């Protein structure tokens, strides 16, 4: 029996039976409640949800978001002569690139496509690729499709996107700390660090000692929402690349729905919020989400190094088996023991000739190199 697709433009219109039949709800990131929080709080994004069905039973799922990105956001992360970059930025300075992302643009990792167990996953993925083509064809204001983030174990399936004229590219890896069961406290973890890295962790805690740390309730997030948004904006302004700014109204919905599984922790200096971290407990994994920092206080009070220490503390206290610290700042994360997990993305222009140009453009994209530390004894 052939596969067919259904595409929904709102989470509220999806039949509830689809989720249970697909069997994806053990993973928080594929629950309608999680996806709804992002859709409801981020009105400027066009969301779509693709279901692949066999005999009217779902066998695969993909979620997409359509956004616009300024050309400078892209060129500053592409290896090219500076004069060429200036020329491209000048020519296209008043134009945004409209991109259809398959995957969650607010998460780093394989959280955009779900393939049901005991199915032919290659066939199901192929059906998703066709459905994305259909969605692209029916989306008028669109330039590019971008399918993100696949681990190496998935590439034997996802590389069939080359047959649909997509180009593949490696992006910065997720940085993962694998926690040992015998680490019951942060001191247990530090005892396994080499002296140099233990001193580094202790220094971050010492410099940040004046900070008051508070786990936020839903009401705390509501109270400090504007401050959280400003601090988050600081990190976005310092990032090399960010496709879209998250409305932190999302966090209110996530906290209300997932309670203790969703964590927001604030850092106060003399009653002023100067930093925060956020994280989601997903099964046995703890996933770092966005952070926010007052960079004018960061050097003096080691806010960012303290946040990294506290992710380890939270991972241990929640009995997690691993902590996904996400992308960026790979070297400093490796000083805590994080190991890289490579990720591959696929990109395609909607039209044939621009796609040929895009492919050569993508060949110039290079991920940053960094020193991978080995901090354990």
């Amino acid at each position: 029996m052939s596969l067919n697709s259904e595409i929904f433009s709102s989470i509220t219109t999806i039949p509830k039976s689809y989720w249970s039949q697909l069997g994806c709800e053990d993973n928080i990131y594929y629950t309608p409640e999680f996806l709804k929080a992002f859709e409801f709080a981020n009105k400027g994004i066009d969301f779509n949800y693709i279901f692949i069905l066999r005999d009217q039973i779902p066998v695969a799922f993909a979620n997409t978001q359509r956004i616009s990105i300024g050309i400078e956001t892209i060129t500053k992360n592409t290896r090219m002569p500076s004069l060429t970059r200036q020329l491209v930025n000048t020519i296209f300075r008043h134009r945004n690139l409209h991109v259809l992302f398959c995957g969650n643009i607010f998460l780093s990792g394989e959280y955009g496509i779900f393939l049901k167990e005991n199915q032919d996953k290659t066939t199901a993925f192929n059906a998703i690729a066709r459905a994305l083509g259909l969605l692209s064809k029916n989306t008028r204001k669109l330039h590019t499709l971008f399918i993100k983030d696949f681990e190496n174990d998935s590439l034997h399936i996802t590389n069939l996107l080359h047959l649909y004229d997509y180009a593949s590219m490696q992006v910065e890896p997720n940085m993962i700390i694998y926690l040992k069961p015998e680490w019951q406290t942060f001191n247990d973890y530090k005892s396994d660090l080499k002296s140099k890295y233990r001193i580094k962790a202790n220094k971050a805690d010492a410099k940040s000692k004046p900070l008051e740390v508070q786990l936020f309730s839903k009401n705390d997030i509501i109270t400090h929402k504007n401050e959280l948004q400003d601090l988050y904006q600081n990190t976005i302004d310092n990032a090399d690349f960010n496709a879209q700014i998250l409305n932190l109204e999302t966090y209110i919905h996530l906290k209300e729905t997932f309670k203790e599984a969703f964590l927001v922790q604030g850092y106060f200096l003399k009653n002023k919020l100067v930093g925060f971290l956020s994280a989601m407990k997903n099964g046995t994994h703890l996933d770092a989400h966005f952070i926010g920092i007052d960079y004018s206080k960061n050097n003096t009070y080691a806010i960012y190094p303290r946040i990294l220490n506290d992710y380890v503390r939270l991972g241990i206290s929640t009995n997690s088996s691993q902590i996904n610290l996400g992308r960026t700042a790979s070297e400093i994360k490796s000083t805590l023991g994080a190991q890289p997990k490579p990720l591959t993305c696929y990109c395609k222009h909607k039209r044939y000739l621009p796609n040929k140009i895009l492919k050569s453009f993508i060949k110039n994209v290079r991920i940053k190199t960094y020193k991978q530390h080995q901090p354990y004894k």
Side-chain angles (χ1 to χ4, degrees), residues 96-375:
N96 283 346
L97 194 65
H98 296 278
V99 183
L100 180 69
F101 279 89
C102 180
N104 194 318
I105 56 173
F106 299 116
L107 299 176
S108 176
E110 266 192 41
Y111 305 123
I113 293 176
F114 182 89
L115 306 176
K116 189 175 182 178
E117 290 297 323
N118 303 317
Q119 298 288 329
D120 184 333
K121 293 188 176 182
T122 300
T123 301
F125 188 83
N126 197 50
I128 286 175
R130 291 196 303 270
L132 285 169
L134 179 64
L135 180 59
S136 167
K137 185 178 180 180
N138 293 330
T139 304
R140 292 182 60 190
K141 203 171 185 179
L142 181 66
H143 299 109
T144 305
L145 294 89
F146 195 91
I147 307 178
K148 64 185 292 284
D149 292 317
F150 297 102
E151 299 172 7
N152 286 348
D153 289 346
S154 299
L155 299 186
H156 70 285
I157 296 174
T158 61
N159 275 340
L160 70 80
L161 288 169
H162 293 148
L163 301 177
Y164 290 86
D165 217 15
Y166 284 84
S168 57
M169 57 187 283
Q170 270 210 328
V171 294
E172 286 188 276
N174 273 337
M175 298 299 291
I176 312 293
I177 296 179
Y178 299 95
L179 299 175
K180 297 180 180 180
E182 57 266 30
W183 292 343
Q184 297 298 305
T185 66
F186 191 63
N187 283 335
D188 293 339
Y189 155 79
K190 287 194 297 182
S191 69
D192 274 358
L193 296 176
K194 297 173 185 174
S195 174
K196 170 184 174 181
Y197 299 98
R198 187 166 58 252
I199 290 170
K200 184 179 178 69
N202 287 335
K203 183 179 179 181
D205 282 347
K207 289 183 71 174
S208 63
K209 196 170 183 180
L211 302 179
E212 180 186 344
V213 182
Q214 179 185 334
L215 272 173
F216 278 11
S217 65
K218 175 189 169 184
N219 287 338
D220 292 326
I221 298 173
I222 294 171
T223 299
H224 296 286
K225 179 183 174 295
N226 290 338
E227 298 162 87
L228 292 168
Q229 193 77 50
D230 289 342
L231 291 170
Y232 163 62
Q233 184 66 51
N234 288 345
T235 64
I236 295 303
D237 292 341
N238 278 272
D240 287 329
F241 180 82
N242 190 72
Q244 187 70 23
I245 296 172
L246 178 70
N247 185 334
L248 292 193
E249 183 81 21
T250 309
Y251 281 8
I252 298 171
H253 297 294
L254 291 176
K255 190 63 179 176
E256 181 177 35
T257 302
F258 295 103
K259 307 295 190 289
E260 287 75 24
F262 181 65
L263 305 167
V264 177
Q265 185 163 282
Y267 297 81
F268 291 85
L269 180 65
K270 298 178 181 178
N271 297 318
K272 177 178 171 58
L273 189 66
V274 294
F276 77 90
L277 66 77
S278 57
M280 179 67 81
K281 184 72 161 67
N282 184 27
T284 62
H285 297 178
L286 182 74
D287 296 327
H289 206 241
F290 291 115
I291 65 169
I293 296 172
D294 180 344
Y295 284 97
S296 69
K297 306 290 193 300
N298 189 44
N299 288 336
T300 302
Y301 298 103
I303 301 170
Y304 182 59
R306 172 61 183 275
I307 284 174
L308 292 179
N309 281 359
D310 284 354
Y311 273 126
V312 178
R313 288 186 172 95
L314 289 171
I316 293 171
S317 68
T318 55
N319 297 312
S320 300
S321 63
Q322 68 178 55
I323 307 166
N324 179 0
L325 292 177
R327 286 196 281 254
T328 73
S330 298
E331 181 170 345
I332 189 173
K333 290 171 181 175
S334 77
T335 66
L336 283 85
Q339 298 292 320
K341 178 170 281 190
L343 295 171
T344 296
C345 297
Y346 300 83
C347 188
K348 175 184 178 180
H349 197 282
K350 187 175 178 179
R351 290 190 278 177
Y352 177 79
L353 287 177
N355 193 45
K356 295 300 180 185
I357 299 171
L358 179 64
K359 281 187 168 184
S360 65
F361 187 80
I362 286 174
K363 288 179 182 177
N364 289 314
V365 176
R366 296 290 183 270
I367 61 174
K368 287 184 176 180
T369 58
Y370 68 94
K371 179 182 177 181
Q372 177 67 35
H373 293 258
Q374 304 296 335

Side-chain angles (χ1 to χ4, degrees), residues 31-59:
T31 62
E33 293 81 10
F34 181 84
L35 296 169
K36 181 170 66 175
F38 289 84
E39 180 188 321
F40 281 19
N42 297 274
K43 302 297 185 184
I45 300 175
D46 293 331
F47 291 84
N48 280 286
Y49 310 91
I50 299 170
F51 283 85
I52 305 301
L53 300 98
R54 175 181 281 113
D55 296 333
Q56 303 307 308
I57 302 297
V59 297

